[in-house]
Amino acid sequence: MFALTDAVCAQVPIPLVETGQHTGVINSIAVDRAERWLVTASEDKTARVWDLNSGRLERVLRLPIRRGLAGMLSAVAISPDGSLVALGGATGSAGAAHPIYLFERHSGRLLGRSGPYLDLAIQLVFSPDGRRLAATFGGGSMRILDTGNLWHELTISAACRAGSHGADFASDGRLVMGCLDGTVRLFDTQGELLGERKVGDRPSKVRFSPNGQHIAVGFERAPFVQVLSGRDLTLLAKPDHRLVTTGGLSQVAWSHDGERLYAAGTFQRDSVYPVVSWSQQGAGAPVLLDATTDTLSGLVPLASGRLAFGSYSSVWGILDAQGRREPQALQPVLDFRDSADRFSVSGDGRRVEFSGTRWHGDQWSRSLARFDLATRTLETEVEPEPGLRLPGSDGLPVAGWEYKEGTLFDGNRVPVLAFGERPHALDQADDRSGFVLGASWSLRRFDADGREVWHTFLLSSALAVNLSTNGRFVVAALGDGTLRWYDAANGAERLALFIHAEDKRWVLFTPEGFYEASAGGDALIGYWFEPERDREGQYVDSAQLSGIYFRPDLISRRLAGDEAAIAEAVAAIGDVRQVLAGGLPPTVTLLSPAEADSSGEYELKLRVDPANAGVGELKLFIDGAEVRARTVAPPGGGVVTQRLSLGPGAHVVAARAMRADGKVASNEVQARVTVQVAAPRPVLRVLAVGISKYDDASFRNGVKFATADATKLVERLRAGAQGLYRDVDTRVLVKRADTSLARIQAELDALVQRSRPEDVVVIFLAGHGKAPDGKYHFIPADFVYDGDQAFNGQRTLSQDRLELALKNLGAGKRLLILDTCDSGTAAQASRDGSSEQKDAIVRLMRATGRYILAAASPQGKALEDGFNGHGVYTAALLEGMAGRAVSPQSAMIDVDALANYVADRVPELTRAKGYEQRPMKTSFGQNFPITQRVP
C-alpha cells in the first residue's frame, strides 16, 4: 500500500472547501433501520450524516487526513438503531496501517477504533442486533468485530484469494461475502464457512433478501446480476439483462417486501446512469429508472417502494415508488474531467480559462469561464481568449501516460506513480525543459530527460495541468473542484480557488489560511486540524476567524512574489493552529424568541458560556451590518441583554462572542424581527470631506479636484432631496482648518449623535488614501509622514476609526463613498498603492457590512486627470445623480443603480486617458433610494 512519507504530511492546518455537500466521489451509503438518517462516505475525506426526510445535513464526521490518499473513505455503516457510525478506508496517517473508526452519530464524538490493518476496509455492515461489525478488505480478508470494543475480533477469515468489495448479514445473523477471485462465500452466525460458489469474474456487492432466502450478486465489470439461494448458494436465476449492454452492475438491493430486485453501477445510457429494476424477485422484465449522472456507488431500499442511491457525482438522491427522482441538491463542484483541452492560462499564470461540466435541468452542460487573479473577477459563458496557453505535449517522447500501468519516457518505463495511482494530465514546458504530470493524488515535474525534479501530494486528483509561460506556476484543476497554483520550481502550493458550480460564489486562499472571497464565499472554506490520538478531527469555520485571516492584501503580495510579507503575517498573528492553541471561543445561546414582532424596539437576550479561554467582546449585527454592543459579556460568562432600535420592515439580528484575546469568534445566533410600524420620513445626513491641500509636501499632488468634488456632491444631493426627505443635514469639510484629523473625527462623532435608525446617512471622503499595513487609512490635511509609525492609527482616519463610526451609526440606510488616490512619494510607494488600497477597502467592506462605493487610484490619475472640472470618479457619480443612472421614465435613483452606472462609466472615461480604472462596490449593505433626478 502507498505510504505517505512526504514532508507535506506535517501536522499543519489544512484549508478545506466546505459546501455543505461532498466535493468528491461518494463511495458508500447506509441507512438506519427506522430510516431517519442516511450516512455517506466520500473520497473528499469526510463522512456526512443526513436527515433522510428533509435532506438536511446533520453532521460532518472527520478523520485524520493528509495530502495524498490518507483520509479517503471507502466504507460506511450505521447501526440499526442509528446510534453508531463506522468508517473505513485510507484511514492511516503517514506510513501507518488503516484502522476502522466508530463514531457516536448524534454528537459526532469518536468512540473508538480497531487495530490497524494493512489493507483498506472496502465494505462495512452491522449485524441486525448491532453488536457485530463485519468488514471486508482489499486484500481479501474478512473480520467480524465487537462493536463494544473494535479491538476485539470475533472472527477472522482469509477466505478470499483476492479483494472483497461486498458483505451482508441476513436477518438471522448469517453472513455472505463476495470475493473478487470469482467466488461467493456463506458463513453461519458464528463466522464459520458454510460453503462457497464460483459465480464469475469479479463479483462485487452481495445482498440477502429480507427473508434471507435469496442472495443478489452484482458484478464489477459484467452487465448482469445473479440470484443465489440464501441457504446453499445454488443458482436460482439470472435476471433478464437485455437492456444492459455495457458497463457493470456492481450495486444490488432488494425492496423491503423482497419482490423487487435493483442493480446499478457503471452502466449508462444517453449520459444518464440508471437503476435496473426487476419485479417478481428478479424474474420480471427489466425496467430502467434514470437516477444520476455518474457511476452509482450504493443502493439502499426504503419504505413505500422508494430507493436511496449514492453516486460518484458527489450527491445522493432518492427514487420514489414510481421510479422518479425526488428533488435533490445540485452538485456544488465543477467537474473538470475531460477538460484539459480547454484549460488555458496567461503567460504569467494570473488568468485561467477553464471548462467545468455540471448536470442541470436533466442534461449535461459545459461552458467556458475565466478567472483573473489580479482583479479577482469571474467571467462566465465566455468565448476563448486569444493569447492564453493550452497544455500540450507535441514532440515529447512520452507514451502510455493515460493508463494505469505507468508512463513511458523515450521507450523506458518511468515507475513514478504510487500503487493504485493513475495519471490524468500532462503538459510540456514551452522551452521543452521538462513536463508536469497530474495523477490521482500527486503532481510531479520532470526534466527533459524524464528525471523527477519534484513531486507534491494532493487532496484530490489533478485532472488538468498547465505550466505558465514565464515558468513561475504550475496551474492544476483538481477533482474537488478547485484550481490550484503551485510553484513550478519546487511544487509548493501557493494559491487555491474554489468556485461554486451553481451560485458562482468563490473563495481564493493560501495554504497558510489567508483568503479573499466573493459575497458569501467565505462560507465555502474552513480549517481542518490533526486531532489528538483517538479524537475526532477538528474543523473551524472561516467566519470564526475572518477578522484576522480575511487578507486580500496578502493574496496580492503572494501574486507579486513577496513571500516575506506572508511570513511576517504568520509570525505576527500565527497560523491557524497557533491561533486556536489559545483556547476555544465561548458558546452563545439565544434566550429571546427566534422570531418576534416589534414596534421598533427589540430586546435581545443571550447566554454566553465561556470555554477555556475567557470571554471577550460581544459583536452584534443587524442585517449583516455590525452595530455597537452597549453591554459587555462578563469574563466568566452569563446572561446579556441589549435593547436595539430597529427601523420598519423585516430584520435579522445576530450575535457572536469573541474569545478573550479577540481572535476567535463563537457560534452565531440569529433572531428574525419584524417591525410593523409606518416608516417616518427620514432625514438625509451628509458628511463630505475633500482635501486638496496637505501640510506634507509629498501628499500635495494628485488631489486638486477633491475640494470641488465634495462641494458639488453635497449640492447635487441637496437638489435631489426635495420631497424625498423630511430634512437635509449636511457638513462640508474642505478648508484647511476643517480637514485636520481632530476636526474630521469630531464631525463623525457628531454625525453619530444626530442620526436616527430611519435616516439616510452618506459619508464622502476625497483625498489621499494609504494601506501600508493591509488596512485603509484616509489621510487628513495635517498628516506628516516620518516613517511607518505614522500609520499607527493616531494620525490618520484609520480603518479602525471608520469601522467604529459605522458601527456606532447603527444599521439602516448608510453609504460610505471613498474617492482616494495613493501618494507615490511616501516611503511605501515601492508597491502598487492603488492595489493595496483596493485590498484594504475590500477588508473594510467585509468588516462593516455596509454599502460602500470606492475608487482607489494610483497617484495622479483619477483625481488629477479630471472630467468636467471634477475627478473622474466623482464626475461619474454626479452624472448618475443627474439622471443618467436610470431610464428617462424613472425619477428615483437608488444606490444600486448609481453603483452600476459608475461601474460602466468610469472605465469608459479613463480608457480615453490611456489607463483603466474600475470602481469598487460592496456586495453587502442595504440598497435604498438616495436622490431624485436633477434637471
Side-chain angles (χ1 to χ4, degrees):
M1 178 48 61
F2 177 32
L4 296 171
T5 57
D6 197 88
V8 296
C9 294
Q11 293 190 13
V12 296
I14 300 177
L16 292 180
V17 170
E18 176 54 61
T19 67
Q21 299 179 54
H22 285 296
T23 58
V25 166
I26 293 177
N27 281 321
S28 180
I29 68 170
V31 174
D32 71 301
R33 179 180 292 148
E35 299 181 5
R36 294 164 295 181
W37 298 286
L38 180 142
V39 290
T40 52
S42 171
E43 287 186 4
D44 70 2
K45 308 185 181 186
T46 70
R48 295 172 186 253
V49 181
W50 310 85
D51 183 304
L52 188 55
N53 292 318
S54 67
R56 184 180 64 250
L57 177 65
E58 291 285 324
R59 186 167 301 281
V60 181
L61 305 178
R62 300 180 189 274
L63 295 176
I65 67 173
R66 293 288 189 274
R67 299 182 189 277
L69 181 65
M72 292 184 182
L73 297 176
S74 54
V76 65
I78 186 169
S79 60
D81 64 2
S83 63
L84 303 175
V85 176
L87 298 174
T91 57
S93 57
H98 307 282
I100 294 166
Y101 287 87
L102 194 66
F103 284 82
E104 185 176 58
R105 178 202 50 77
H106 81 272
S107 67
R109 184 167 60 94
L110 179 62
L111 299 177
R113 63 186 182 91
S114 72
Y117 302 115
L118 293 178
D119 292 324
L120 274 61
I122 304 299
Q123 173 77 45
L124 297 172
V125 59
F126 279 94
S127 62
D129 61 7
R131 298 170 61 183
R132 293 176 294 162
L133 178 71
T136 66
F137 294 84
S141 65
M142 182 269 290
R143 288 172 166 81
I144 299 178
L145 311 178
D146 181 351
T147 56
N149 177 10
L150 291 188
W151 283 84
H152 182 202
E153 296 181 338
L154 301 174
T155 302
I156 303 174
S157 172
C160 294
R161 291 176 289 277
S164 173
H165 289 185
D168 192 32
F169 278 104
S171 57
D172 60 6
R174 289 174 297 129
L175 181 72
V176 64
M177 178 183 181
C179 299
L180 296 182
D181 61 10
T183 62
V184 172
R185 289 172 167 82
L186 185 64
F187 299 86
D188 66 14
T189 58
Q190 304 303 312
E192 296 296 324
L193 183 66
L194 293 175
E196 65 177 79
R197 178 183 179 85
K198 189 75 172 179
V199 294
D201 183 42
R202 299 181 72 83
S204 184
K205 301 301 183 187
V206 289
R207 289 288 183 267
F208 276 106
S209 61
N211 62 10
Q213 298 300 309
H214 302 84
I215 298 171
V217 182
F219 292 85
E220 189 175 286
R221 298 175 180 173
F224 56 79
V225 299
Q226 294 182 14
V227 179
L228 308 182
S229 166
R231 293 299 172 186
D232 58 15
L233 298 182
T234 57
L235 178 64
L236 299 180
K238 296 183 70 173
D240 182 352
H241 60 90
R242 58 189 165 186
L243 299 181
V244 186
T245 55
T246 61
L249 297 177
S250 59
Q251 308 297 319
V252 290
W254 295 94
S255 61
H256 274 337
D257 60 8
E259 287 301 307
R260 188 165 292 276
L261 174 62
Y262 303 101
T266 58
F267 164 55
Q268 64 169 303
R269 183 187 64 168
D270 298 330
S271 298
V272 175
Y273 289 74
V275 173
V276 188
S277 172
W278 295 272
S279 60
Q280 303 174 46
Q281 301 177 357
V287 177
L288 301 185
L289 311 175
D290 288 348
T292 187
T293 62
D294 210 333
T295 298
L296 283 136
S297 55
L299 298 176
V300 178
L302 304 175
S304 303
R306 300 158 74 220
L307 182 72
F309 62 84
S311 83
Y312 282 9
S313 64
S314 79
V315 296
W316 60 275
I318 295 175
L319 298 178
D320 66 17
Q322 286 71 45
R324 297 178 301 232
R325 279 177 300 200
E326 295 184 2
Q328 66 184 74
L330 294 173
Q331 183 177 338
V333 177
L334 288 171
D335 187 342
F336 292 126
R337 286 176 296 180
D338 303 319
S339 66
D341 60 340
R342 304 188 76 186
F343 186 61
S344 58
V345 302
S346 59
D348 60 5
R350 296 189 179 200
R351 289 172 68 81
V352 59
E353 204 169 74
F354 53 92
S355 172
T357 302
R358 63 191 183 101
W359 182 258
H360 192 71
D362 290 332
Q363 63 181 351
W364 283 105
S365 66
R366 179 184 290 274
S367 60
L368 199 63
R370 190 162 46 241
F371 193 88
D372 190 319
L373 289 178
T375 60
R376 318 288 206 273
T377 53
L378 172 66
E379 301 173 88
T380 59
E381 307 293 337
V382 300
E383 294 298 321
E385 179 178 307
L388 297 187
R389 177 189 181 277
L390 287 166
S393 58
D394 291 348
L396 191 67
V398 174
W401 63 269
E402 305 98 329
Y403 304 103
K404 291 182 180 179
E405 54 263 26
T407 299
L408 294 177
F409 183 84
D410 204 15
N412 298 312
R413 189 170 300 282
V414 184
V416 295
L417 300 183
F419 174 77
E421 191 176 19
R422 176 180 178 179
H424 294 289
L426 179 73
D427 185 32
Q428 179 181 213
D430 284 349
D431 61 4
R432 299 181 179 267
S433 60
F435 61 96
V436 291
L437 187 69
S440 298
W441 47 81
S442 68
L443 180 68
R444 300 169 187 269
R445 182 164 188 176
F446 301 87
D447 64 18
D449 296 319
R451 292 186 294 264
E452 185 177 286
V453 178
W454 53 256
H455 67 267
T456 187
F457 292 117
L458 311 175
L459 291 171
S460 187
S461 300
L463 302 176
V465 294
N466 198 315
L467 269 161
S468 63
T469 302
N470 67 356
R472 184 180 176 194
F473 292 118
V474 176
V475 189
L478 269 57
D480 62 0
T482 60
L483 302 173
R484 298 186 185 245
W485 283 256
Y486 299 89
D487 192 317
N490 56 27
E493 184 179 325
R494 296 305 184 195
L495 287 170
L497 171 70
F498 179 80
I499 301 167
H500 195 285
E502 287 300 316
D503 57 32
K504 302 303 183 289
R505 287 176 297 156
W506 57 263
V507 59
L508 180 65
F509 53 97
T510 73
E512 296 84 2
F514 302 113
Y515 73 95
E516 182 177 357
S518 64
D522 49 358
L524 298 171
I525 187 177
Y527 308 93
W528 183 93
F529 302 88
E530 171 73 17
E532 298 175 6
R533 182 177 175 85
D534 295 332
R535 293 291 304 274
E536 60 275 5
Q538 300 178 52
Y539 178 85
V540 177
D541 191 293
S542 67
Q544 296 179 258
L545 298 165
S546 63
I548 52 179
Y549 287 101
F550 183 80
R551 293 294 300 271
D553 58 311
L554 294 179
I555 301 287
S556 295
R557 298 291 178 87
R558 172 141 288 168
L559 282 174
D562 186 0
E563 291 301 314
I566 308 289
E568 289 171 7
V570 171
I573 63 177
D575 66 20
V576 182
R577 178 178 291 278
Q578 292 168 323
V579 169
L580 288 184
L584 297 173
T587 300
V588 177
T589 304
L590 180 67
L591 300 180
S592 49
E595 295 188 9
D597 293 328
S598 169
S599 60
E601 297 293 314
Y602 171 71
E603 185 173 89
L604 178 67
K605 191 174 184 180
L606 311 166
R607 186 178 72 245
V608 181
D609 296 312
N612 57 358
V615 178
E617 179 185 7
L618 182 67
K619 288 184 172 289
L620 300 181
F621 305 85
I622 300 176
D623 301 327
E626 187 176 358
V627 299
R628 181 167 62 94
R630 295 186 298 275
T631 57
V632 178
V639 176
V640 179
T641 302
Q642 177 163 331
R643 185 169 292 275
L644 299 169
S645 296
L646 303 174
H651 303 279
V652 176
V653 177
R656 289 180 180 267
M658 302 301 294
R659 198 173 68 182
D661 62 2
K663 289 185 175 182
V664 185
S666 72
N667 61 300
E668 182 177 276
V669 295
Q670 292 186 351
R672 298 184 180 276
V673 184
T674 301
V675 178
Q676 298 177 333
V677 296
R681 290 182 68 197
V683 173
L684 173 63
R685 303 188 189 275
V686 185
L687 173 61
V689 182
I691 306 177
S692 293
K693 295 182 180 179
Y694 285 86
D695 293 350
D696 190 324
S698 64
F699 288 90
R700 290 176 185 170
N701 296 324
V703 290
K704 72 178 183 181
F705 295 112
T707 296
D709 289 349
T711 303
K712 188 64 177 179
L713 183 89
V714 172
E715 290 179 6
R716 185 60 54 84
L717 286 171
R718 273 191 169 277
Q722 187 173 3
L724 186 59
Y725 300 102
R726 176 167 53 88
D727 196 5
V728 179
D729 167 25
T730 64
R731 299 289 190 277
V732 183
L733 308 182
V734 293
K735 297 179 181 179
R736 168 61 185 84
D738 293 331
T739 52
S740 65
L741 175 61
R743 180 81 168 100
I744 296 171
Q745 184 65 61
E747 286 294 343
L748 272 175
D749 294 341
L751 178 66
V752 169
Q753 295 300 316
R754 297 195 303 273
S755 298
R756 301 294 302 158
E758 69 271 13
D759 290 344
V760 172
V761 179
V762 179
I763 301 172
F764 176 82
L765 303 177
H768 277 302
K770 296 288 290 182
D773 56 356
K775 290 189 173 184
Y776 179 80
H777 296 257
F778 180 71
I779 309 300
D782 58 344
F783 176 84
V784 175
Y785 179 79
D786 59 1
D788 284 349
Q789 70 274 8
F791 295 99
N792 62 7
Q794 303 304 310
R795 304 190 207 174
T796 66
L797 188 64
S798 65
Q799 179 168 325
D800 292 340
R801 289 175 182 261
L802 282 170
E803 285 185 23
L804 181 61
L806 291 170
K807 187 189 305 183
N808 290 337
L809 277 168
K813 299 172 182 178
R814 311 305 192 232
L815 173 63
L816 173 62
I817 304 175
L818 303 175
D819 191 354
T820 55
C821 76
D822 183 74
S823 171
T825 56
Q828 301 84 0
S830 60
R831 293 184 293 269
D832 180 0
S834 63
S835 176
E836 286 184 348
Q837 274 197 72
K838 288 180 179 179
D839 292 338
I841 290 169
V842 169
R843 291 183 72 188
L844 177 63
M845 291 174 172
R846 180 61 57 96
T848 63
R850 299 310 198 282
Y851 211 124
I852 299 177
L853 303 180
S857 310
Q859 181 191 18
K861 293 299 183 185
L863 293 179
E864 194 69 39
D865 290 343
F867 180 77
N868 290 340
H870 295 282
V872 169
Y873 184 70
T874 299
L877 283 171
L878 296 173
E879 286 183 352
M881 290 178 182
R884 293 191 183 183
V886 293
S887 67
Q889 293 75 34
S890 300
M892 201 70 65
I893 301 168
D894 62 32
V895 180
D896 271 352
L898 186 60
N900 292 335
Y901 175 79
V902 170
D904 292 334
R905 181 61 168 153
V906 170
E908 177 185 338
L909 292 173
T910 52
R911 281 194 295 267
K913 298 176 179 295
Y915 66 99
E916 183 172 278
Q917 181 189 8
R918 291 195 172 273
M920 304 172 66
K921 166 196 165 185
T922 183
S923 298
F924 309 97
Q926 180 183 157
N927 182 38
F928 53 89
I930 187 173
T931 189
Q932 299 174 93
R933 178 190 300 275
V934 179

